[in-house]
């Protein structure tokens, strides 16, 4: 059994076949599997946090109650590029939920394989990220108890990441961005935008830079609302939504500058800070994203494991 990050910002599945020194990761050992099929093609992928590499293999893969037969994935033997974050992290591998166009090696993506297998009630998956509570990922539909109101849908502008047109970013009444695209990325913890735009927002909030990356604000001060306009609707984040953690009178702002180069960028990355406030439906069949306000957290537990 492997614990994976379900990442809408990538499209490959990988699990480790060796563990870093003094780590407690679960590893995949193909010699113990009667359904393993050798491939051997080299696999290399670059994440924002660093690279990993290994080789492709095929085996039967169970994702919750769904099973993919002879699915091609990567068994990774070099995770050094992910650094200490992986060594002490609670995840073993990454399962990408993005589109075929960004699949390294052009191998079938997990979501395409699930849809093609006709095991899903609907070609949809949806995330609820509990704020200090267990989250839930549903394949094949949505969970009504985790959102309020109706979904507002926005068509995809690209079948690479889960990318939509960004009609504006406002801080209070002021326009703060000329960037035209945004992606919803469950694999990014923060909000991330072009460095210059993030700095302008941080300056207007009175935030201080830490080592040129993260920003802090005075916890006692009011912050202006930050709104992302998607499909002509504003998705508003308030102070409580944007603050990650508090240390004394200092609060860490859940925003960072990342310059994604062309042709993929520039773009805003709406990561977990956004997804905790808004329940997101990823509609593979109709190539669109649906947004609804997330319901108050409860104690439900969703699918968070991958079994090989």
């Amino acid at each position: 059994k492997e614990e994976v990050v379900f990442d809408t910002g990538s499209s490959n599945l990988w699990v480790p076949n060796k563990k870093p020194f003094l780590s407690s990761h679960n590893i995949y050992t193909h010699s113990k599997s009667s359904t393993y099929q050798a491939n051997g093609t080299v696999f290399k992928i670059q994440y924002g946090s660093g690279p990993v590499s290994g080789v492709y293999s095929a085996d039967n893969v169970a994702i919750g109650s769904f099973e993919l037969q002879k699915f091609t994935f990567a068994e990774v033997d070099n995770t050094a590029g992910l650094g200490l974050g992986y060594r002490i992290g609670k995840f073993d591998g990454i399962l990408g939920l993005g589109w075929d166009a960004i699949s390294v090696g052009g191998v079938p993506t997990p979501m395409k394989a699930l849809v093609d297998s006709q095991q899903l009630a609907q070609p949809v998956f949806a995330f609820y990220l509990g704020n200090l509570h267990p989250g839930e990922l549903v394949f094949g539909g949505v969970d009504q108890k985790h959102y309020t109101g109706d979904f507002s849908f926005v068509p995809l502008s690209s079948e690479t990441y889960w990318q939509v047109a960004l009609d504006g970013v406002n801080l209070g009444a002021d326009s703060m961005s000329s960037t035209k695209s945004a992606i919803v990325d469950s694999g990014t913890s923060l909000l991330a935008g072009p460095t210059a735009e993030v700095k302008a927002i941080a300056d207007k909030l009175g935030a201080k830079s830490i080592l040129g990356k993260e920003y802090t604000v005075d916890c006692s001060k009011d912050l202006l609302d930050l709104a992302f306009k998607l499909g002509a609707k504003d998705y508003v984040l308030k102070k409580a939504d944007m603050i990650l953690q508090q240390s004394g009178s200092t609060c860490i702002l859940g925003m960072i500058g990342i310059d994604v180069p062309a042709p993929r960028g520039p773009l805003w990355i709406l990561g977990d800070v956004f997804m905790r406030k808004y329940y997101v439906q990823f509609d593979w069949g109709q190539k669109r994203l649906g947004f609804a306000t997330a319901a108050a957290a409860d104690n439900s537990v969703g699918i968070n494991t991958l079994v090989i």
Side-chain angles (χ1 to χ4, degrees):
K1 182 178 284 190
E2 304 280 340
E3 301 280 343
V4 297
V5 171
F6 289 95
D7 175 25
T8 61
S10 65
S11 294
N12 293 80
L13 167 63
W14 67 264
V15 293
N17 62 13
K18 61 185 288 189
K19 64 176 71 176
F21 182 61
L22 293 181
S23 77
S24 58
H25 292 290
N26 302 300
I27 62 169
Y28 167 77
T29 305
H30 64 234
S31 62
K32 294 181 179 180
S33 172
S34 62
T35 48
Y36 159 75
Q37 295 182 339
N39 179 308
T41 303
V42 172
F43 168 80
K44 294 181 179 180
I45 191 169
Q46 176 75 40
Y47 296 102
S49 50
V52 302
S53 59
V55 296
Y56 286 107
S57 296
D59 208 333
N60 296 344
V61 175
I63 304 170
S65 61
F66 306 113
E67 183 164 308
L68 300 175
Q69 302 283 332
K70 301 177 182 177
F71 185 76
T72 300
F73 64 98
E75 46 178 300
V76 161
D77 58 13
N78 186 351
T79 56
L82 299 181
L84 186 62
Y86 179 75
R87 188 182 292 268
I88 65 175
K90 296 181 179 180
F91 71 98
D92 302 312
I94 294 178
L95 190 150
L97 290 168
W99 293 82
D100 297 16
I102 60 170
S103 171
V104 174
V107 300
T109 63
M111 188 59 189
K112 184 176 191 305
L114 280 171
V115 172
D116 289 350
S117 74
Q118 299 186 328
Q119 296 177 74
L120 302 182
Q122 298 175 331
V124 166
F125 63 92
F127 272 94
Y128 168 74
L129 298 187
N131 196 354
L132 302 179
H133 289 74
E136 181 186 72
L137 168 59
V138 175
F139 286 101
V142 299
D143 188 339
Q144 294 182 346
K145 70 175 177 288
H146 283 317
Y147 64 91
T148 60
D150 297 322
F151 282 99
S152 296
F153 290 97
V154 183
L156 296 184
S157 58
S158 171
E159 290 172 44
T160 50
Y161 305 113
W162 286 88
Q163 181 175 316
V164 293
L166 177 62
D167 299 327
V169 180
N170 278 41
L171 187 66
D174 295 330
S175 174
M176 304 300 294
S177 175
S178 59
T179 301
K180 299 303 182 186
S181 295
I183 67 171
V184 180
D185 182 8
S186 62
T188 297
S189 301
L190 311 178
L191 297 170
T195 302
E197 294 182 3
V198 169
K199 184 179 185 302
I201 292 170
D203 288 347
K204 200 168 182 64
L205 291 172
K208 297 177 181 177
S209 175
I210 305 174
L211 301 175
K213 291 189 175 183
E214 291 182 327
Y215 291 92
T216 63
V217 292
D218 184 335
C219 299
S220 65
K221 291 188 176 179
D222 291 335
L223 297 183
L224 293 169
D225 292 350
L226 182 65
F228 294 89
K229 187 179 286 291
L230 307 169
K233 182 173 179 176
D234 284 334
Y235 293 89
V236 178
L237 298 175
K238 296 184 175 295
K239 176 182 175 180
D241 305 317
M242 292 188 282
I243 297 301
L244 285 186
Q245 62 189 67
Q246 182 171 343
S247 176
S249 62
T250 301
C251 283
I252 294 178
L253 194 63
M255 187 183 308
I256 195 168
I258 295 178
D259 292 309
V260 179
R264 303 278 187 229
L267 47 78
W268 272 87
I269 303 171
L270 306 181
D272 297 349
V273 167
F274 180 88
M275 292 178 69
R276 278 192 289 271
K277 176 73 175 285
Y278 295 102
Y279 186 95
V280 184
Q281 177 184 162
F282 295 78
D283 189 334
W284 185 277
Q286 298 194 55
K287 300 175 181 178
R288 63 184 184 173
L289 286 169
F291 302 98
T293 301
D298 64 17
N299 290 319
S300 54
V301 178
I303 302 166
N304 63 356
T305 59
L306 171 96
V307 183
I308 292 183

